[in-house]
Amino acid sequence: MRGTIGMVAGPALAGLLLALWGVAGADLTNPLIGIVRAGFMADAWGVSAAIWIGGLVCLADVIATGYALPRFWSYRSSLAQHPH
């Protein structure tokens, strides 16, 4: 999905997307950290609590990122506006 966003974003957002990929670990580190977090939380509080807390933290991160980067909220692809 990130590759698709990168292709339609164009040069205007290319630098920002590259920076976000660096923060996210380029699909290597970030999922592994999440797996370790989920394992520790499931061991400490149970599987159900680990899933709920992880989901709520993910939702909070998406909302916080949206407010921190308002250009993502207002971005509209020219392909989405005029499909041919």
Side-chain angles (χ1 to χ4, degrees), residues 5-30:
I5 294 170
M7 286 187 273
V8 298
L13 294 176
L16 183 59
L17 286 172
L18 185 60
L20 289 174
W21 282 342
V23 171
D27 290 328
L28 299 174
T29 306
N30 200 23

Side-chain angles (χ1 to χ4, degrees), residues 32-56:
L32 297 177
I33 291 171
I35 291 168
V36 172
R37 183 229 25 107
F40 279 122
M41 288 181 71
D43 188 44
W45 298 313
V47 174
S48 184
I51 292 171
W52 276 101
I53 293 170
L56 292 174

Side-chain angles (χ1 to χ4, degrees), residues 55-71:
L56 292 174
V57 168
C58 180
L59 181 62
D61 286 345
V62 169
I63 292 170
T65 301
Y67 282 110
L69 304 170
R71 287 179 57 190

Side-chain angles (χ1 to χ4, degrees), residues 66-78:
Y67 282 110
L69 304 170
R71 287 179 57 190
F72 279 120
W73 286 112
S74 62
Y75 176 75
R76 298 293 178 260
S77 169
S78 60

